[in-house]
Amino acid sequence: MTAAIQDAAESRLLREYRAGDRKAFDALYRRFSDRVFRFGLRMCGHREDARDVLQDTFLNVFRYLPSFRGEASLQAWIFRIASSACLKRRRRGKYLSREHVPLGAEGAPAAELASPAPGPLTQTLRRELARRVDAAVGALP
C-alpha cells in the first residue's frame, strides 16, 4: 500500500472515529495490532511483554486519539506510543534479577537473595487479569 493511500485510509478512520463511529477504532486496532505486537516482541524479547506492550499501546491510543493533532502520521504516533510502552517495561524490568541465586549460596549478599520478581501466584493473577482485559476491550463496541 502506498504512503498516500495509507495516509488517506488512516485519515478516514480518524474522521470516522471522531464522528462517533466506534467501529473505526476496531479497524485501527486490526490495522496496527499485529505490527505493534511484533515491534513489542523485537523490543522486549518476550511474548508476554509484547502482549502487555500491545495492550498498553492501544489503551493509550484509545485514551488520546481524540486529541491527536496529526503533526505526524497516525502510524508514527501509534509506534511512538508503543516505543514508550516498551521503554517503560524495560526500565521496570532492568531491576529484576534474571539470574537464579540459590539460597545459602556462598558470596551471595542477603539483599540479593530476596527476589523482587513476582511469585507464581502473582504472575498467574496478572495473566488472568490481562486475559480478561483483552476480552473486555475486544467486546467494546
Side-chain angles (χ1 to χ4, degrees), residues 16-137:
E16 290 172 1
Y17 176 78
R18 286 183 172 161
D21 182 0
R22 297 301 179 220
K23 291 181 182 178
F25 185 81
D26 293 340
L28 282 173
Y29 179 83
R30 285 190 305 275
R31 180 183 201 101
F32 292 106
S33 62
D34 287 342
R35 288 184 277 172
V36 169
F37 177 78
R38 287 191 307 269
F39 175 79
L41 191 56
R42 282 192 314 271
M43 289 285 289
C44 298
H46 301 287
R47 293 186 77 71
E48 201 60 39
D49 288 341
R51 285 187 197 107
D52 290 343
V53 165
L54 176 65
Q55 177 179 312
D56 291 347
T57 298
F58 279 96
L59 284 173
N60 282 317
V61 167
F62 185 78
R63 182 179 298 140
Y64 297 112
L65 192 57
S67 62
F68 174 68
R69 294 187 308 257
E71 294 170 352
S73 73
L74 187 58
Q75 176 176 322
W77 181 71
I78 289 171
F79 277 91
R80 181 65 191 131
I81 292 171
S83 176
S84 293
C86 288
L87 291 173
K88 285 178 190 174
R89 180 153 297 283
R90 289 175 79 180
R91 261 186 259 136
R92 270 184 280 175
K94 90 176 187 184
Y95 298 107
L96 299 179
S97 174
R98 301 256 188 223
E99 185 178 318
H100 175 70
V101 179
L103 290 175
E106 279 189 43
E112 290 181 7
L113 292 178
S115 172
L121 177 61
T122 302
Q123 291 175 345
T124 302
L125 291 173
R126 284 182 182 170
R127 280 193 299 271
E128 178 63 18
L129 177 61
R131 187 186 64 73
R132 289 182 183 201
V133 168
D134 285 342
V137 169

